[in-house]
Amino acid sequence: MKIWSVSARNYRSFARLEEVRLGPFATIVGQNDVGKSNILRALALFFSDKVDLVLDDFHDGAKPDDDIVVEIAFHELPSTIQLEEGIDTTFKDENLLDQAGQLRIRKTF
C-alpha cells in the first residue's frame, strides 16, 4: 500500500490544502513560507500514535469549534485483506474504495 495523495483542512498554514499528489519519489518544492514543511507535518500527524496539538497547529482563520482534518489516499492496495480471522475479502468487496479505486482515510483532530 502506497500513499497516493494528502489533503488537509484548518492545519497550520492551510485553511484548505487541496489534494497534493505524491509519487513514489516525491519532491516538495516552493518558495519559503508556502507550507512545504506543513505538508510533511500533516503526514506525521496522520501517522502519529501520540497527538499533541497546540494552538499554532490550527489555521489562523479557523473558528474555535473547527477541527483539523487530514486525509490520505492510498493505492497499490493488497489484493486481499482479513477483517475476520480466516475470512478473506477485498477493499472493493467491502465498499471501501473511492471512484478512482483508492482507499481514503480521513482523520479528524
Side-chain angles (χ1 to χ4, degrees):
M1 185 165 19
K2 295 181 180 179
I3 296 174
W4 174 260
S5 65
V6 60
S7 59
R9 189 171 64 236
N10 295 322
Y11 185 65
R12 300 186 70 83
S13 59
F14 303 116
R16 182 169 193 84
L17 172 64
E18 296 299 327
E19 189 172 57
V20 174
R21 166 80 167 82
L22 301 174
F25 297 101
T27 303
I28 302 171
V29 295
Q31 297 177 340
N32 290 342
D33 295 327
V34 295
K36 300 178 301 290
S37 296
N38 290 337
I39 293 171
L40 298 176
R41 285 186 179 103
L43 287 166
L45 175 64
F46 182 90
F47 288 109
S48 178
D49 290 335
K50 184 179 178 185
V51 177
D52 290 324
L53 294 173
V54 296
L55 190 58
D56 286 344
D57 290 326
F58 290 84
H59 183 266
D60 288 340
K63 297 175 185 166
D65 58 341
D66 285 346
D67 293 322
I68 290 173
V69 178
V70 179
E71 181 177 286
I72 296 185
F74 296 91
H75 70 129
E76 294 188 24
L77 304 167
S79 57
T80 62
I81 57 172
Q82 283 192 355
L83 298 180
E84 295 180 45
E85 188 174 335
I87 301 174
D88 289 342
T89 187
T90 66
F91 287 108
K92 183 177 180 179
D93 289 344
E94 298 297 325
N95 297 313
L96 296 173
L97 302 179
D98 66 9
Q99 292 178 345
Q102 297 163 349
L103 174 65
R104 292 186 179 273
I105 300 176
R106 177 181 298 156
K107 289 190 175 182
T108 303
F109 306 92

